Amino acid sequence: MTFVFPASPGEPADLSWLDQGGEAGALIRAFDWTRTGIGPLETWPQSLRTATGILLLSPVPIVLLWGEKGIMIYNDAYSVFAGNRHPALLGSEVREGWAEVADFNDNVMRVGLAGGTLAYRDQELTLVRHGKPEPVWMNLDYSPVLDESGKPAGVIAIVSETTERVLAEERVRENEARLRFLDALREETARFTEADPILETTTRMLGEYLGVSLCAYADMDPDEDGFTIRGDWSAPGSSSIVGHYRLADFGRLAVQNLHAGAPLIVNDHRAELPPEEARTFLDIGIAATICMPSIKEGRLTALMAIHDKTPRQWQPRELQILTEVTERSWAHIQRVRAEAEARESERRFREELEAKVAERTADLERSQAARAKAEQALAQVQKMEALGNLTGGIAHDFNNLLMAVQGSLELLRERMPQEPLLLRLLDNARAGAERGSTLTRRMLAFARRQELKKERVDLRTLVDGMKELMQRTLGGTVAVETHFASGLPVVEADPNQLESALLNLAVNARDAMDGAGTIAIATDEIWIGAGEGPVAPGHYVRLALTDAGSGMDEATLKRAVEPFFTTKGVGKGTGLGLSMVHGLAEQLGGALIMHSRVDEGTTAEIWLPAAAPRPDAPAETTPAAPSAGRCASSRTLKILTVDDDELVRATTVEMLEDLGHAVVPARSGAEALSLLATHCVDLVITDHAMPHMTGMQLAVQLRERYPTLPVVMATGYADLPAGAPLDLPRLAKPYSQASLAEVVARVVTPAAGP
């Protein structure tokens, strides 16, 4: 840009160089510069005009500080940076215009007028731009402006505010530090199986991380007022506050917030609370507090808190991390308590069933004692099949019993008075039923009657994905080596069940090595011809796990996969691990092959059929045509439930009616078809294992008569025949009311209209 100035003093001043200066240019033109000591625009030296013209055309914030006083001349971009101090800043002395940073600007003027330059990156200053002090960060570059004689007459400053970036980077650093801490806390507490050491470690690490004086946890009394601080961590100079207290003594705010499930946050007890309430905190050396409550089933059950012995302005990040730590710690504690109870329940249940199985096993052994080699092999197969039938039958019947027990307990829970003792007893019963359900799932795995969700699985990817979990489970004294053959085909398997099977084998291997040694996991493929191997002819992928443990003799090896058989001490194993792997492998069309020698080690091989290559494109599906047989759209569904078990049928009816649905019960498939001739329903929920007409046979007839009527198959195990004609939504027994509600909501879509 070329700036034109008057040729002689007698001509009118040319101020066209201000025309493109925007709002700032107009303000400069209208400003009375005589009161600043610079003089009117018409008398400005060319150096001042040139510098001003340049900054007015710049899109970045620029301010010119002219003369000894640093008179401020700036552009539109700088006026935005100045906030509501603009336009008063224009023409002011920089030391007075930005009085809160006068010393900083005094140094700028001193260096700049001496011919020096200054550069600052992410310089933090506290400025008043919007009525109150605020911290800002800026990149600042200062250079001298020379007058006509070549001497510095002013300083030009280029300003780039970096506040948003600096704060964002700080948030990222804080978040990374928080995640590192939470990960370290998780690793440190994962090795404990009891509540007290978990909480002791948690309070210590949290208190040290946040730099507080105290970190404590407490259990509430049944009256939800008294509470006991069971343990705490205190920094040097602070005393432990373990003991029994009353919540009411800590004031109205504490009672109100904590009972409502909200945190209690006080920065200064003396300043923010009434004297009598603050005194309770101050008497135990606490001046500031954040306390997090735990609400379970509407009751205040526990507390976790951080305290400081001096007033402290708590930050959002401190509340956030206390919230996360509290939730994770209590969830971990509930999990380890539940696992301990489950182990004890499984031990008792195993001992009872083991006696029955041992009796049956003894009969089989006596009948086959005369156990030839071919006859012995056949007897073993028959024994395992008999055990599978016995185990599967018990589990199936037990599932029906658990279905009635769990469903009734759920409904009773909603209707009974909210008496703490009664609720605890009821919850204990529900927990026992859940543990029974877990045990039946393991029994069904051995019996090859568990429900599997098959998908294409790459064994190398599966093993690599669980190495970290396996290493944590096995401990630091066990090394895991892997050897993968290249180009292996995938297999059709349930990845979750396969991971569980491999983890069971690894734990057995660790125990056989007394907790120290090397476990090798390898994969390869093998082709089996007719009569060549322990499985049907075909192409297989073999997943092998080898240890260098104590090994097994021949007699022990033969019984290794029997359910409830274990060489470990009482309470150290369920005896269901290898039997579960055996059942899973056979259900997937393969086998579990064991090789072992005493004092040399054991190799467990899972043989799985190789999956066929994936077709180029998935087959297209044709949507079902609409048909009659569905009820009109309404908020209440009409549901037909079919089950030959009176207890299960009655419980399902009660659960559905409690969910607000109308229910039509049927004892058999034939009765269901008869009822559908006179009833309009939105959904059919049917058991499979029923006499005369199975649930699948009923579903086939329903599909023919009512193509769009949804059907859900409720079953205690994967008892559907191979190649079932319909792929139906499943509801695994025993099911909760929540599971029942979820499957109803998932499979029923409202009709288009009446």
Side-chain angles (χ1 to χ4, degrees), residues 195-196 199-200 202-203 215-222 224-233 241-247 250 258 290-296 299-307 322 326 329-330 333 337:
D196 284 343
L199 288 170
E200 289 170 4
T202 299
T203 53
C215 185
Y217 60 92
D219 290 331
M220 296 298 302
D221 294 347
E224 298 185 69
D225 179 43
F227 64 92
T228 300
I229 298 179
R230 293 171 47 196
D232 64 5
W233 171 87
I241 57 173
V242 169
H244 189 267
Y245 302 86
R246 290 180 63 250
L247 189 57
F250 290 85
L258 298 177
I290 301 182
C291 184
M292 294 296 301
S294 174
I295 303 293
K296 300 298 181 185
R299 295 182 62 253
L300 179 61
T301 60
L303 305 172
M304 181 171 281
I306 53 177
H307 308 285
L322 176 60
T326 300
S329 297
W330 285 330
I333 290 166
R337 286 174 174 170

Side-chain angles (χ1 to χ4, degrees), residues 481-679:
E481 296 179 352
T482 55
H483 308 280
F484 300 108
S486 60
L488 285 180
V490 299
V491 298
E492 289 277 350
D494 184 324
N496 293 328
Q497 297 291 345
L498 194 54
E499 285 182 350
S500 178
L502 188 58
L503 194 60
N504 265 306
L505 294 177
V507 170
N508 281 349
R510 177 200 64 189
D511 294 344
M513 298 187 300
D514 292 329
T518 299
I519 294 175
I521 300 176
T523 59
D524 64 355
E525 57 184 326
I526 189 169
W527 285 261
I528 299 296
E532 292 182 355
V535 292
H539 183 193
Y540 292 84
V541 178
R542 184 164 50 186
L543 174 63
L545 185 146
T546 302
D547 66 63
S550 56
M552 294 178 280
D553 58 27
E554 185 176 353
T556 303
L557 185 61
K558 288 180 179 179
R559 299 192 61 194
V561 298
E562 293 180 9
F564 309 113
F565 176 80
T566 178
T567 59
K568 302 174 183 178
V570 175
K572 296 183 178 179
T574 64
L576 287 172
L578 285 177
S579 62
M580 183 198 74
V581 180
H582 166 81
L584 173 67
E586 292 202 347
Q587 192 171 354
L588 293 173
L592 171 66
I593 310 299
M594 303 284 294
H595 308 279
S596 187
R597 287 192 176 185
V598 177
D599 297 329
E600 293 185 13
T602 300
T603 296
E605 300 176 351
I606 301 177
W607 292 34
L608 298 173
R614 188 185 296 275
D616 293 338
E620 295 186 358
T621 58
T622 303
S627 77
R630 291 285 300 278
C631 294
S633 175
S634 64
R635 295 178 63 85
T636 299
L637 299 176
K638 192 169 185 180
I639 300 175
L640 174 64
T641 180
V642 190
D643 203 303
D644 62 322
D645 189 297
E646 181 67 27
L647 286 175
V648 175
R649 186 173 64 255
T651 302
T652 304
V653 170
E654 289 290 337
M655 294 169 107
L656 288 170
E657 289 181 343
D658 186 64
L659 291 170
H661 303 304
V663 187
V664 179
R667 293 184 294 271
S668 66
E671 184 179 1
L673 292 173
S674 176
L675 288 170
L676 281 173
T678 57
H679 288 75

Side-chain angles (χ1 to χ4, degrees), residues 152-165:
V155 179
I156 194 164
I158 300 175
V159 180
S160 175
E161 184 169 358
T162 62
T163 301
E164 185 175 347
R165 176 181 58 78

Side-chain angles (χ1 to χ4, degrees), residues 159-227:
V159 180
S160 175
E161 184 169 358
T162 62
T163 301
E164 185 175 347
R165 176 181 58 78
V166 169
L167 293 179
E169 291 175 351
E170 178 62 24
R171 287 192 297 270
V172 169
R173 287 192 294 272
E174 289 181 355
N175 190 53
E176 290 175 345
R178 178 179 62 85
L179 293 177
R180 286 195 298 270
F181 168 74
L182 291 174
D183 191 55
L185 179 63
R186 176 187 57 78
E187 291 184 358
E188 189 68 18
T189 56
R191 56 195 181 92
F192 298 118
T193 58
E194 295 181 356
D196 284 343
I198 292 172
L199 288 170
E200 289 170 4
T201 301
T202 299
T203 53
R204 173 182 58 79
M205 293 183 66
L206 182 60
E208 291 174 344
Y209 177 72
L210 294 179
V212 297
S213 300
L214 280 163
C215 185
Y217 60 92
D219 290 331
M220 296 298 302
D221 294 347
D223 64 3
E224 298 185 69
D225 179 43
F227 64 92

